[in-house]
């Protein structure tokens, strides 16, 4: 508990609240249209009880980057303890001279003066907003003339819940970003009535409630309890803080950056925020709590620490990575670590089998891709195999798990090599030398050499300056995740003047550290402000199933995106090429479907704001060196001004995903030509006829049935019956059954008939 006090105190000290807001903030009951907050004026809007205020703030390590947030404002809470409880746009930051305004059309807008454009809005311009109010409970609301709530900050939480605020089904809290990278930790309320702490979207490391109730919400009560309640306020689960029912003026629930969910209370006597409850008692049980810094353990004082116990591990930029075995010529050995449980991250998919300890070791030793294994026996002997350098976990004397990490064995001593004596040279008569001839030849050679050196020096100087700038951008600080901003000249340097084309308007290149990248050329007519805003949003997103955006070029009429490079290229070439198609085994095709599904689900529900792909197809799925699928070119619809509702955008991705699954199953790239045939074969009990003929007898009948059903559901013409991506992923994971789907185009035919009838009627 003392450790949490220190953590919270340290975080609060980092928060530099604009002191001018205390002077210029005015307690108002209403915020009229046209009201504005600006960075330069340091003004704020304050609730009528003066307990909350909204205004600009920044952090000491980012003095020129500002966010708009609601914070505690009570005089009883010192300035350095006035915690921010809501942030407009989540991770969005703006520069000097920016402003936050309730416009005359009723829309809240955050305008970045640095980019010269709006970076976040409440999207309420068409909803007849008449005014705004910062309520006494910390909720910023937009009202119409009838005082009905049109929009409220309580419906779009960031990392915090205040008393009375609901986290309803499909809503998410996400921990604050670090080093410009969105956190992978989230608190999620699922449709089955469970509150879940998750890492990415696939790892659930804590949950509350039973999976038997729907339409539940998580609510923090004013008396210090966290509850799961139904719409009629019936309570199904609750947990209480240590000071439950005590007189406490301020409380909040926050998902902290370390992945733990904590309930905080304000202590008037000590003038501190105190953690009175946390979801995961043992911090080491929070998945990937040490991320890439090793494994979690507890020191003598009882505090958790991250250590790197692998003496042979690669330690770069404070990362603790298990050594790669690809160049292990002397052979490998398994190093034992008792009372230690390991698991892989990036990716997280370990291979678990039921076997003995000795067999577990030998399996890893004989598998070139295996890096570590963990053996446990809690009634059944299990072997967890990892195939990644990114390994995390925890260690404790009470753990019955034993882990083995592969390392290269010591190389054999080599025989010393002694220098050989040169044989005696035979005596030769000296030759007569023409001194003037030698001087003339030397002078001419030196002159030509100097001219060549000057030319090469000038070229290398320009080239070196470019690469030096690239290196400084890419490595401005250890672990930097900032987007690299490149000039068109630098793009040409990276790609060798676009000499290696790997796809339509796609070129292979390399950064100065030899890291390969893929450079995508876009239309030069895209508006610069819109382009920068879109890439800034896309560049802050990380998921193992999404191709990482490394940088971009926006210079004159040049628009380029720089992605991480995928060694095995795009998925479509494996579908089209008969030879390459043999590498797409049935197991790999199902893995690709699940990986892509999880990535799209992440875009729809796990990001700060909903993001659709908009153009999901085999060409936009690439395979890395491990043949793992990564989705690229997501979110590019923002660049072309494609405006559609969230539901319509999500349904488009679902439909495109269904086409991709059917392509992977059948091997046909043009799904529309075979959809009716595939559905007919399935209905007649011959699903095996739909399977790609290039596949051997390796198809799992149950997986085939599952894949076809979910593909047909995704391709339903009636959008009301299409599944969400969350439901799609659960079906592919095997945790949710799929009913037999109706004909995909039956509804479409009837809809067309109605449309044709209405058109002919209007003509008459």
């Amino acid at each position: 508990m003392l450790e949490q006090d220190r953590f919270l105190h340290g975080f609060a000290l980092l928060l530099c609240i604009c002191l001018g807001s205390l002077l210029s903030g005015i307690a108002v009951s209403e915020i009229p249209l046209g009201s504005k907050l600006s960075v330069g004026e340091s003004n704020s809007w304050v609730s009528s009880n003066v307990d909350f205020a909204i205004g600009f703030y920044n952090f000491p390590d980012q003095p020129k980057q500002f966010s708009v947030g609601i914070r505690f404002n009570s005089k009883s809470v010192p300035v350095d303890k006035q915690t921010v409880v809501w942030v407009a746009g989540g991770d969005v930051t703006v520069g000097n001279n920016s402003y936050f305004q309730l416009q005359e059309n009723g829309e809240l807008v955050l305008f970045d003066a640095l980019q010269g454009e709006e970076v976040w809005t409440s999207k309420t311009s068409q909803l007849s907003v008449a005014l705004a109010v910062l309520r006494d409970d910390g909720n910023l609301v937009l009202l119409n003339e009838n005082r009905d709530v049109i929009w409220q900050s309580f419906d779009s939480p960031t990392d915090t819940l205040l008393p009375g605020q609901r986290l309803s089904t499909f809503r998410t809290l996400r921990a604050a970003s670090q080093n410009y990278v969105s956190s992978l930790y989230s608190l999620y309320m699922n449709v089955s009535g469970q509150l879940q702490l998750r890492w990415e979207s696939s790892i659930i490391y804590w949950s509350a409630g039973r999976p038997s109730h729907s339409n539940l919400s998580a609510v923090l009560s004013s008396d210090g309890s966290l509850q799961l309640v139904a719409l009629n306020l019936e309570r199904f689960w609750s947990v209480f803080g240590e000071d439950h029912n005590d007189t406490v003026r301020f409380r909040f629930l926050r998902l902290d950056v370390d992945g733990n969910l904590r309930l905080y209370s304000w202590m008037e006597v000590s003038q501190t925020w105190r953690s009175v409850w946390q979801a995961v008692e043992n911090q080491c049980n929070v998945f990937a709590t040490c991320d890439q810094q090793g494994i979690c353990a507890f020191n003598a004082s009882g505090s958790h620490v991250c250590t790197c116990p692998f003496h042979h591990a690669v330690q770069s930029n404070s990362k603790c990575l298990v050594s790669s075995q690809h160049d292990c010529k002397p052979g490998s050995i398994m190093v034992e670590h008792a009372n230690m449980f390991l698991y892989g991250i990036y990716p997280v998919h370990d291979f678990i089998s039921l076997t003995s300890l000795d067999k577990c070791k030998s399996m890893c030793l004989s598998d070139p891709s295996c890096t570590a294994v963990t053996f446990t026996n809690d009634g059944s002997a299990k072997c967890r195999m990892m195939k990644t350098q990114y390994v995390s976990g925890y260690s404790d004397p009470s753990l019955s798990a034993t882990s083995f990490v592969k390392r290269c064995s010591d190389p054999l001593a080599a025989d010393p090599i002694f220098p050989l004596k040169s044989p005696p040279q035979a005596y030769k008569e000296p030759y007569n030398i023409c001194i003037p001839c030698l001087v003339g030849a030397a002078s001419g050679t030196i002159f030509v050499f100097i001219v060549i050196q000057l030319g090469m020096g000038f070229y290398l100087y320009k080239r070196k300056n470019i690469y030096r700038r690239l290196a400084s951008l890419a490595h401005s600080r250890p672990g930097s995740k900032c987007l690299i901003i490149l000039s068109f000249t630098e793009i040409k340097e990276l790609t060798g003047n676009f000499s290696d084309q790997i796809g339509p308007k796609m070129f292979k290149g390399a950064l100065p550290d030899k890291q390969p990248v893929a450079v995508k050329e876009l239309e030069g007519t895209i508006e610069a402000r819109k382009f920068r805003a879109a890439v800034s949003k896309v560049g802050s997103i990380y998921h193992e199933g999404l191709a990482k955006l490394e940088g971009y070029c926006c210079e004159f009429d040049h628009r380029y995106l720089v992605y991480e490079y995928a060694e095995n290229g795009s998925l479509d070439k494996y579908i089209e090429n008969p030879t390459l198609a043999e590498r797409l085994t049935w197991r790999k095709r199902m893995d690709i479907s699940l990986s892509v599904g999880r990535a799209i689900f992440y875009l729809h529900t796990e990001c700060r704001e909903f993001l659709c792909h908009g153009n999901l197809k085999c060409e936009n799925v690439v395979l890395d060196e491990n043949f793992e699928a990564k989705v690229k070119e997501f979110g590019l619809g923002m660049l072309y001004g494609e405006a559609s509702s969230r539901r319509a955008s999500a349904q488009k991705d679902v439909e495109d995903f269904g086409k991709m699954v059917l392509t992977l199953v059948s091997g046909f790239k043009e799904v529309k030509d075979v959809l009716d045939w595939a559905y007919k074969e399935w209905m007649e009990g011959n699903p095996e006829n739909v399977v790609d003929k290039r596949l051997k007898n390796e198809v799992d009948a149950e997986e085939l049935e599952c894949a076809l059903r979910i593909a047909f559901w995704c391709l339903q013409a009636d959008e009301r019956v299409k599944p969400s991506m969350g439901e799609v992923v659960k079906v592919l994971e095997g945790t949710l059954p799929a009913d037999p789907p109706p004909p995909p185009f039956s509804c479409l035919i009837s809809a067309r008939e109605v449309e044709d009838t209405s058109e002919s009627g209007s003509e008459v």
Side-chain angles (χ1 to χ4, degrees), residues 244-259:
H244 173 60
N245 281 333
D246 290 353
T247 302
V248 176
R249 187 175 178 185
F250 300 119
R251 303 180 192 271
F252 66 87
L253 182 79
R254 184 173 66 200
L255 178 56
D256 286 324
V257 294
D258 62 2

Side-chain angles (χ1 to χ4, degrees), residues 446-502:
I446 291 173
F447 176 77
V448 173
F449 177 76
I450 290 175
V451 171
I452 293 174
Q453 288 297 311
L454 286 174
M456 290 184 64
F458 179 72
Y459 170 76
L460 292 175
Y461 174 77
K462 289 183 63 180
R463 189 180 182 90
K464 185 176 181 181
N465 278 351
I466 291 173
Y467 275 85
R468 185 176 292 169
R469 200 187 79 82
L470 288 174
S472 66
L473 285 169
H475 306 288
S476 58
R477 58 180 176 280
S480 173
K481 295 292 183 180
C482 295
L483 288 177
I484 305 173
I485 304 175
L486 305 167
S487 68
F488 179 62
T489 302
E490 291 163 345
I491 289 289
K492 290 197 296 183
E493 289 288 343
L494 291 181
T495 60
N497 202 20
F498 308 104
S499 59
D500 189 357
Q501 186 165 359
I502 56 177

Side-chain angles (χ1 to χ4, degrees), residues 294-295 307-315 320-322 337 340 342 391 405:
I295 66 165
T307 62
C308 187
F310 320 126
H311 299 298
H312 57 287
V314 178
Q315 298 187 48
C320 177
L321 307 181
V322 176
H337 296 274
M340 183 183 295
L342 300 177
V391 173
V405 178

Side-chain angles (χ1 to χ4, degrees), residues 371-539:
T371 56
V373 289
T374 290
F375 177 80
T376 57
N377 192 346
D378 52 359
S380 60
K382 293 181 181 179
C383 178
R384 175 183 293 266
M385 181 183 295
M386 286 137 270
K387 296 186 176 183
T388 174
Q389 285 187 273
Y390 297 92
V391 173
S392 189
Y394 51 92
S395 176
D396 189 272
S398 63
L399 281 177
S400 59
T402 302
S403 294
F404 299 90
V405 178
K406 187 187 289 186
R407 59 163 290 184
C408 288
S409 58
D410 295 331
L412 298 175
D415 292 333
I417 300 176
F418 296 99
L420 299 176
K421 292 183 179 180
S422 301
Q425 300 292 323
Y427 175 77
K428 296 181 180 180
E429 291 289 339
Y431 293 99
N432 293 325
I433 299 174
C434 176
I435 300 299
C437 298
L438 186 61
V439 171
S443 300
T445 302
I446 291 173
F447 176 77
V448 173
F449 177 76
I450 290 175
V451 171
I452 293 174
Q453 288 297 311
L454 286 174
M456 290 184 64
F458 179 72
Y459 170 76
L460 292 175
Y461 174 77
K462 289 183 63 180
R463 189 180 182 90
K464 185 176 181 181
N465 278 351
I466 291 173
Y467 275 85
R468 185 176 292 169
R469 200 187 79 82
L470 288 174
S472 66
L473 285 169
H475 306 288
S476 58
R477 58 180 176 280
S480 173
K481 295 292 183 180
C482 295
L483 288 177
I484 305 173
I485 304 175
L486 305 167
S487 68
F488 179 62
T489 302
E490 291 163 345
I491 289 289
K492 290 197 296 183
E493 289 288 343
L494 291 181
T495 60
N497 202 20
F498 308 104
S499 59
D500 189 357
Q501 186 165 359
I502 56 177
K505 295 187 176 182
M506 183 72 77
F507 305 89
K508 184 180 179 181
L511 295 176
D513 60 358
K514 306 301 181 184
Q515 176 190 346
V517 291
V519 180
K520 174 73 173 181
E521 181 183 4
L522 301 178
E523 295 178 11
T525 56
I526 300 173
E527 185 182 353
R529 294 177 180 177
K530 184 181 295 183
F531 180 81
R532 292 191 181 97
V535 297
S536 296
K537 183 175 181 179
V538 172

